[in-house]
Amino acid sequence: MSIDNLALLKRLEKPSGPVDVVIDTDTYNEIDDQYALAYLIKSDHKLKLKGIYAAPFLNVRAENVRQGMEKSYQEILNILSLMGRRDLEPLVYKGSDRYLPSETEPVRSPAAEHLAKLAMGYSADRPLYVVAIGAITNVASALLIEPAIRERIVLVWLGGNAYHWPDNKEFNLLQDVAAARIVFGCGVALVQLPCAGVVSAFTTSGPELEHWLRGKNALCDYLVDYTTSQALEDGGGPCWTRTIWDVTAVAWLLDGEFMLDRLEHSPIPEYDDRYAFDNTRHFIRYVYHIRRDRLFEDLFRTLAK
């Protein structure tokens, strides 16, 4: 299937008005997903939520990929409860219980099936925006299940490292390289927020969280306590900071000039933890700088509502 480059470039422009959004999140993996999910829900003047998908993950917080997804599903429900938004529970779907077996075989799940069906109701001129902040298995599976959605969605993914970084051993991408190769290679409108070398600068600290969030509401207190405990468990000292990675993917869709980006030819994630580059490939939008202070100001004010 050929790629309509003019239509692709149009979809890669930042939306000017309200848009329909789904979010794909490994919420139990670490604390940043909780910030991102709450930020999206509380930004309903611009982002109209149509689905929340539990993404798979595997690390010390889960014994296997299925358990990582199940824990993320339960944490999504926990965040909705803390926000007093249990009305959104029907929008929550369980995702993949394993990573892709190959670049041609989807993992069917309620999340992937829902995305494939939902996106078919959109068009190139009115796309569905997919904010993905975990392993990209669910989204890649939906693209394999229904390839036509490629021209009906815009994928905003926090995944991979910066192109100048010495390797591409980034958690979201490394978990499912086959899925990453699908989304970088199929021609979907893709906005990439690289981790190491770009979003890694988006850090906050205990005193900052205490000042801006403590006592504002049940969600904010939970975020402060959970962020602090995770930072200390991970070896943080008296002056710890924590990267709140996933917020940036939501922020790309919002007004506020929170980051700088440019067009780049879509790279090829290789299985040896490197990118390959080919300047004949289609374009994606690549974020190369986060305006940290400006974004945290908006994030904190939004969460404290």
Side-chain angles (χ1 to χ4, degrees):
M1 184 183 297
S2 63
I3 297 172
D4 184 338
N5 288 301
L6 290 178
L8 175 63
L9 291 175
K10 183 177 180 181
R11 289 195 297 278
L12 286 172
E13 295 175 359
K14 191 171 182 179
S16 57
V19 295
D20 290 354
V21 181
V22 297
I23 184 168
D24 187 70
T25 164
D26 57 347
T27 326
Y28 196 78
N29 170 39
E30 59 174 322
I31 187 61
D32 53 329
D33 293 77
Q34 289 89 330
Y35 285 85
L37 177 59
Y39 190 35
L40 190 158
I41 291 170
K42 285 177 172 280
S43 299
D44 55 1
H45 63 288
K46 180 74 180 286
L47 307 179
K48 308 304 179 183
L49 185 61
K50 300 297 180 181
I52 307 172
Y53 306 142
F57 76 90
L58 177 62
N59 60 16
V60 295
R61 298 176 64 80
E63 294 180 0
N64 53 60
V65 176
R66 178 192 292 273
Q67 187 184 82
M69 182 278 293
E70 292 281 356
K71 285 186 172 183
S72 291
Y73 178 82
Q74 293 300 326
E75 181 67 358
I76 291 167
L77 299 180
N78 179 44
I79 293 299
L80 295 183
S81 178
L82 287 168
M83 296 181 70
R85 294 302 311 271
R86 296 191 65 179
D87 59 299
L88 297 176
E89 288 183 2
L91 299 181
V92 185
Y93 295 85
K94 292 185 178 182
S96 306
D97 59 6
R98 59 195 184 280
Y99 301 129
L100 291 188
S102 74
E103 294 179 30
T104 59
E105 301 171 84
V107 177
R108 291 185 177 268
S109 67
E113 298 279 4
H114 181 264
L115 176 56
K117 182 177 180 180
L118 177 68
M120 287 302 293
Y122 293 80
S123 66
D125 294 330
R126 180 179 170 267
L128 173 68
Y129 287 81
V130 180
V131 173
I133 50 180
I136 203 67
T137 312
N138 292 335
V139 180
S141 293
L143 285 160
L144 290 174
I145 293 168
E146 183 51 81
I149 69 172
R150 183 195 73 175
E151 298 176 350
R152 301 165 188 257
I153 67 173
V154 175
L155 173 58
V156 184
W157 185 36
L158 181 122
N161 286 333
Y163 298 169
H164 68 272
W165 204 253
D167 63 61
N168 204 21
K169 297 179 182 179
E170 185 278 318
F171 184 70
N172 290 346
L173 189 150
L174 190 62
Q175 292 181 90
D176 197 338
V177 178
R181 287 169 66 87
I182 289 169
V183 299
F184 278 102
C186 71
V188 70
L190 172 61
V191 179
Q192 183 188 11
L193 291 109
C195 293
V198 178
V199 181
S200 51
F202 190 66
T203 62
T204 190
S205 66
E208 190 172 44
L209 293 175
E210 291 286 343
H211 175 80
W212 286 102
L213 298 184
R214 177 67 74 189
K216 299 299 189 294
N217 52 52
L219 170 73
C220 287
D221 285 343
Y222 176 78
L223 293 175
V224 174
D225 291 338
Y226 196 4
T227 308
T228 301
S229 66
Q230 273 207 358
L232 296 177
E233 286 174 11
D234 291 345
C239 298
W240 64 263
T241 60
R242 190 79 177 186
T243 305
I244 311 297
W245 312 87
D246 295 339
V247 166
T248 59
V250 175
W252 188 84
L253 291 170
L254 298 174
D255 302 319
E257 298 183 357
F258 299 130
M259 57 198 70
L260 299 175
D261 58 44
R262 63 176 183 256
L263 293 175
E264 289 278 358
H265 292 283
S266 182
I268 305 167
E270 300 285 21
Y271 289 99
D272 63 355
D273 305 324
R274 299 287 189 274
Y275 289 115
F277 297 95
D278 179 351
N279 63 8
T280 67
R281 281 165 63 91
H282 61 278
F283 283 106
I284 66 168
R285 191 163 291 280
Y286 174 84
V287 174
Y288 63 89
H289 177 69
I290 305 296
R291 290 177 168 137
R292 182 261 178 213
D293 294 355
R294 185 176 297 180
L295 178 49
F296 264 119
E297 180 180 353
D298 188 70
L299 172 67
F300 289 150
R301 287 180 175 174
T302 300
L303 295 180
K305 288 180 183 177

